[in-house]
Amino acid sequence: MKRRRTTLLSVAALFAAALTTLPAAPQARADDAEQIRNGTFDTTTEPWWTSSNVTAGLSDGRLCADVPGSTANRWDAAVGQNDITLVKGETYRLSFTATGTPDGHVVRAIAGLSVAPYDTWFEVSPQLSVSGNAYSYTFTSPVDTTQGQVAFQLGGAADPWRFCVDDVSLLGGVPPEVYEPDTGPRVRVNQVAYLPDGPKNATLVTDATAKLPWRLRNTKGAVVAQGWTVPRGTDVSSGQNVQSIDFGAYRGRGKGFTLVADGETSHPFDIGAEAYEQLRLDSLKHYYTQRSGIAIREDLRPGYARPAGHLDVAPNQGDAEVPCQPGLCDYTLDVTGGWYDAGDHGKYVVNGGITTWGLLSTYERSLHARTGRPSSLGDRTLAVPESGNKVPDILDEARWELEFLLKMQVPAGQPLAGMAHSKIHDEQWTGLPLLPHQDPQKRELHRPTTQATLNLAATAAQAARLYGPYDKAFAAKVLKTARTAWAAALAHPEVYPDPNDGIGGGAYADDNATDEFYWAAAELYLTTGERQFADHVLKSPLHTADIFGSVSFDWGGTAVAARLDLATVPSRLPDREKVRQSVIKGADKYLATLRSQPYGMPYAPADNVYDWGSNSQILNNARVVATAHDLTGAAKYRDGAVQSMDYVLGRNALNISYVTGYGTVSSHNQHSRWYARQLEPSLPNPPKGTLAGGANSSIQDPFAQSRLQGCVGQFCYIDDIESWSTNETAINWNAALAWMASFVADQGGPAGTPRR
């Protein structure tokens, strides 16, 4: 499902009014292959412009620019050319030679739009040297325009430096660059760990059609198990000929095992539960560094410290008094706090809602499941500022978002009182990198919607039953809020998001609130036991429908969230056993899918079209299977859920762990404005335990389009910060990882054995 639209902003273009330009040369014709005018600087710098703080001129047949020091951002100093013609679908090669004196400076080369909304369609950030290098890149234009721009952004350095460029070319009609990912050894394994008594499966990519021998070696190289592969033919999800390996009979423990087959040796892996105990915590620690409105402390997250963002400290325009979009309302709201949703600075109620539910449900499972261990999620487990307050840290973290969600409610006395604004974000898209406290954009509240209001009702109702033992006043407050939101949604049942409201933040379009009504009623019933909410649950057409499709649930489809809680949270709901059986039947579907997939995941989208955020879809489907184990104790559900983790941890066509810091080869260049080391070496990569979105057949961003045209299923992914459609982070995706990591960690003992 398309989660959002993220656009990179050419911030240098905002300085158009302040540019020092020479008279423009005649515009290039649309059919010219070369779109740059005077890229060789033989006699003049025309028609290139510079920002007003940059002095540029000719030097030995090059354009050389003296760049001032003490600038904060890349776009604070720039050189560029406007009025460039680009043709939609045409592939271009951007090439140039450049030097930087002294060594080590980074230039940000972009191709984008020279007028509002200043979209950037391609960017790279090579590190320059005094001796100079030649650079060449290809990209595909997503638009037709005669107002394109090529620019070199030079700011952000503490000291003055000199930039020289020559032989700049933007050549159209070139063939797309062939991208061949390094997939490593053909034996694909979970690169992190298998449980000693759990399933152990691998996938072999091979041309062989007959079975082959395999051997499991320990860290000393000794063979500890062996057997034969099972041919599986062509795997539709990858287009590869594959065979399966099952070494689950081996029950030893240790580190550094490898699997050998067909002359290939896999990446190493452990056999033990320790890695999942850590992943449970790391996936939850991710949220602290996503917090808005609070300084991130170095002692709590070494390498990730930063000032508080969006607290009305310049250049922020702040979140303490945010107005609505023009014409929507005449009041402002204090909406400080909460989590930044993904790789941008927006905060969204519908995605915040399903994420908060995910964290609260991770904790709630520990209270009710046969293998749950509340102590594993207790106080002082996550190293957050609230640690030591005798409240489970996971509840402290979820409360940071809950407090924000409460602030998004329309005040009493206003039109649509009690409903929730759908989102708050920048008026325009910003560029990468950009730390939260450096964001200069105006912030705006967007229209209240029925879906956002019901997200607030559902999560606030769930919170009321979980925070009661720790803060009765807060529990009472959130329950009152939930009731108010529920009543407002009933009064305004069809106020939906504007599908075109995607400038400066994701649209999160949704034209059906039936599922949110079902979910909110379920949470209110489970907390209060009141008949009015039970009646709504029982009368909902979703209550008896088969809601377990190829994708179980996400921010836009929340019916399964209701069904899972109705099945697992104790209540006196009539026919509750039928609810439980429906979850088990759904799990059987996903288990059958898993068994049909040579890579062993409970996910097979129609026509092999992978969804945006497919990794979270795999984990959410696995969560249904895991819940069936909680309900029945059956080993087949436990093993299916555990095996589902293999895909995101390395057993996939690309042979990459999609969780930063886990596995020999892991995603680490996710799309983010502050985890942006790929673009700015002084910034960090995403923290350990961050899940990448994963394969997305629609490859909506230009960078992915320039590399992945014609990709098959699993291969529609690239670990690059520019690929926001395949490689963004998102709070709801990490919630899926946290729930599943916690489940697998709880299975560290013998299968089905209670750990409480």
Side-chain angles (χ1 to χ4, degrees), residues 16 351 410 472 485 524 567 602 652 663:
N351 213 44
V410 177
K472 293 186 184 301
L524 280 159
N652 53 59

Side-chain angles (χ1 to χ4, degrees), residues 16-86:
L19 297 177
T20 300
T21 61
L22 294 169
Q27 182 174 306
R29 299 189 310 275
D31 57 355
D32 284 350
E34 175 61 66
Q35 300 305 319
I36 294 292
R37 286 96 65 200
N38 185 27
T40 57
F41 308 106
D42 294 328
T43 59
T44 180
T45 61
E46 297 181 11
W48 292 83
W49 53 256
T50 69
S51 54
S52 59
N53 58 346
V54 170
T55 301
L58 292 178
S59 177
D60 298 325
R62 302 173 298 165
L63 183 154
C64 289
D66 291 318
V67 185
S70 301
T71 53
N73 305 298
R74 299 280 190 90
W75 50 85
D76 289 343
V79 173
Q81 184 176 131
N82 293 342
D83 301 323
I84 291 173
T85 296
L86 296 174

Side-chain angles (χ1 to χ4, degrees), residues 283-474:
S283 58
L284 290 168
K285 287 182 177 182
H286 168 85
Y287 291 94
Y288 175 52
T289 53
Q290 290 291 123
R291 288 191 189 187
S292 174
I294 187 174
I296 305 304
R297 288 166 43 184
E298 179 71 15
D299 62 317
L300 297 181
R301 296 294 185 275
Y304 291 88
R306 67 169 189 265
H310 298 97
L311 279 185
D312 303 301
V313 177
N316 283 172
Q317 297 191 36
D319 286 356
E321 293 184 273
V322 179
C324 287
Q325 286 182 301
L328 282 183
C329 74
D330 58 4
Y331 54 83
T332 64
L333 291 181
D334 175 357
V335 290
T336 52
W339 298 316
Y340 297 118
D341 183 72
D344 62 285
H345 303 132
K347 299 184 291 188
Y348 306 80
V349 172
V350 292
N351 213 44
I354 199 67
T355 304
T356 302
W357 172 79
L359 267 63
L360 294 179
S361 294
T362 301
Y363 178 71
E364 193 158 29
R365 180 192 172 273
S366 76
L367 303 178
H368 302 306
R370 67 186 68 225
T371 58
R373 288 183 287 155
S375 61
S376 65
L377 296 167
D379 190 21
R380 299 185 185 277
T381 54
L382 300 182
V384 292
E386 300 83 3
S387 293
N389 64 356
K390 300 182 180 179
V391 177
D393 280 357
I394 190 172
L395 295 186
D396 286 325
E397 190 58 69
R399 184 167 176 170
W400 189 261
E401 179 72 4
L402 278 164
E403 297 276 13
F404 159 73
L405 296 177
L406 300 181
K407 295 176 181 179
M408 292 290 281
Q409 195 164 35
V410 177
Q414 297 290 343
L416 303 180
M419 294 191 75
H421 287 275
S422 58
K423 55 181 183 171
I424 175 259
H425 57 64
D426 292 335
E427 183 180 39
Q428 298 288 337
W429 286 108
T430 56
L432 281 73
L434 185 66
L435 289 165
H437 69 284
Q438 296 172 339
D439 176 15
Q441 281 284 328
K442 176 187 176 184
R443 307 281 274 177
E444 293 180 329
L445 291 166
H446 292 245
R447 67 185 297 178
T449 66
T450 305
Q451 288 89 340
T453 303
L454 291 167
N455 268 262
L456 174 59
T459 53
Q462 182 188 25
R465 64 178 180 263
L466 294 176
Y467 287 85
Y470 305 101
D471 189 335
K472 293 186 184 301
F474 181 67

Side-chain angles (χ1 to χ4, degrees), residues 457 461 479-480 482-488 490-491 517-540 566 573-574:
L479 183 56
K480 180 180 179 181
R483 291 182 185 277
T484 301
W486 173 259
L490 289 177
F517 271 111
Y518 180 49
W519 177 36
E523 299 299 347
L524 280 159
Y525 168 71
L526 291 171
T527 296
T528 68
E530 293 175 9
R531 182 171 179 175
Q532 61 168 321
F533 301 120
D535 287 347
H536 196 99
V537 167
L538 297 172
K539 291 177 182 178
S540 171
L566 290 170
L573 184 74

